[in-house]
Amino acid sequence: MSRILLVEDDTRVSSFLEKGLKEKLFSVHPVAKGYDAIQETTTQTFDVIILDVMLPDIDGFEVCKIIRRRGITTPVLMLSALNSPEEKIQGLEAGADDYLGKPFNFLELIARIRAQIRRKEFERENNHEFVYHDLVVDPDRHQVRRGDREITLSPREFRLLLFLMQNREKVVTRAEIAEAAWDLNFDTRTNVVDVYINYLRNKIDKDFDVKFIQTIKGRGYLFEAFGDNAR
């Protein structure tokens, strides 16, 4: 039975979600405050965290940032009545894996939870290293190396790099990246994909002669070694 940490201070919403999730055979641990959520994630293991943005002590964005800084990689699905593209970007940049605006369809929430659980299971089952040129990505240890240099990535950047490595030498669209790295339908009003591509470029390409990430105008991105020493 998958364990869910439910962080929601509205008692009506929390009760509704707890009841519905239990009917779907999830084990649910509810808390109402951000600091309580942080404490629970450091003492217990969960499969998914459902995190409301508006909390009485600190907001969900800060909660997400704190648990990510502590190395907790549990998938976070953020819920909020704040549903503009800017708020979604803020949530994703804080370290959330998915963002669902209120009001939402309960069956869609269940589908998104199961998608996060499937992804985590896939990562556990496929924990071998991915090697391309001088770049090594280890999903099990959450480590990235180029040559003898270790590169530190955020959970989001790591997921993006893993997706690009798995699809190297073929063009992937922004929509495919958004779906794979964020479980989101691509919103053309946001540039979150391009922002994270730029973050990744600065870490894995900037200081090296051989580059990997290429922009293919009008189509998306290509992850393929290029430069004077690429072959």
Side-chain angles (χ1 to χ4, degrees):
M1 182 179 290
S2 297
R3 301 189 71 231
I4 295 178
L5 176 64
L6 174 61
V7 190
E8 170 62 70
D9 69 312
D10 187 318
T11 55
R12 291 174 301 175
V13 175
S14 181
S15 296
F16 165 75
L17 290 176
E18 184 177 1
K19 180 176 182 294
L21 290 167
K22 286 181 176 178
E23 288 176 353
K24 296 294 183 180
L25 302 181
F26 292 104
S27 172
V28 184
H29 184 76
V31 296
K33 294 183 179 180
Y35 286 118
D36 289 343
I38 294 167
Q39 177 64 25
E40 294 300 324
T41 60
T42 56
T43 58
Q44 299 189 56
T45 300
F46 298 95
D47 295 290
V48 174
I49 300 169
I50 298 176
L51 177 62
D52 187 40
V53 170
M54 305 301 293
L55 297 170
D57 46 1
I58 58 172
D59 64 42
F61 300 132
E62 287 303 312
V63 172
C64 201
K65 289 177 184 177
I66 291 169
I67 65 175
R68 293 305 188 220
R69 285 199 297 267
R70 295 186 177 186
I72 296 165
T73 61
T74 305
V76 173
L77 197 165
M78 198 165 274
L79 301 179
S80 178
L82 306 174
N83 200 27
S84 70
E86 292 75 21
E87 270 101 23
K88 288 183 179 180
I89 291 172
Q90 186 177 356
L92 297 172
E93 290 188 341
D97 298 272
D98 200 355
Y99 191 108
L100 189 58
K102 295 179 179 178
F104 53 85
N105 182 289
F106 182 72
L107 293 180
E108 180 181 359
L109 173 66
I110 294 298
R112 289 173 181 251
I113 290 171
R114 287 173 174 163
Q116 293 297 333
I117 292 172
R118 285 196 304 270
R119 170 172 288 144
K120 204 68 177 177
E121 290 173 347
F122 176 82
E123 290 175 356
R124 282 195 292 264
E125 292 169 0
N126 296 271
N127 57 7
H128 57 283
E129 290 184 338
F130 290 86
V131 181
Y132 183 60
H133 199 72
D134 62 342
L135 180 66
V136 181
V137 179
D138 186 338
D140 188 35
R141 295 180 175 84
H142 205 274
Q143 292 179 342
V144 178
R145 300 189 308 277
R146 276 206 73 171
D148 58 358
R149 183 186 304 184
E150 187 165 337
I151 298 171
T152 301
L153 300 181
S154 70
R156 179 73 58 202
E157 292 164 346
F158 186 87
R159 179 177 292 178
L160 174 58
L161 176 58
L162 188 59
F163 173 74
L164 293 174
M165 283 280 280
Q166 290 169 328
N167 293 275
R168 58 187 177 271
E169 300 183 359
K170 73 176 185 179
V171 176
V172 290
T173 67
R174 288 173 174 81
E176 289 172 328
I177 292 172
E179 182 178 353
W182 283 275
D183 274 341
L184 291 176
N185 293 324
F186 184 58
D187 188 340
T188 56
R189 296 173 297 171
T190 73
N191 65 342
V192 66
V193 170
D194 304 290
V195 167
Y196 270 85
I197 286 287
N198 190 52
Y199 290 161
L200 199 55
R201 273 189 172 129
N202 285 334
K203 292 186 177 182
I204 69 167
D205 277 352
K206 183 178 178 182
D207 298 326
F208 299 90
D209 293 333
V210 175
K211 314 297 183 184
F212 291 118
I213 303 174
Q214 303 178 51
T215 301
I216 308 300
K217 189 174 180 179
R219 296 178 63 193
Y221 292 98
L222 173 66
F223 193 86
E224 184 174 35
F226 67 102
D228 293 340
N229 300 313
R231 300 298 179 189

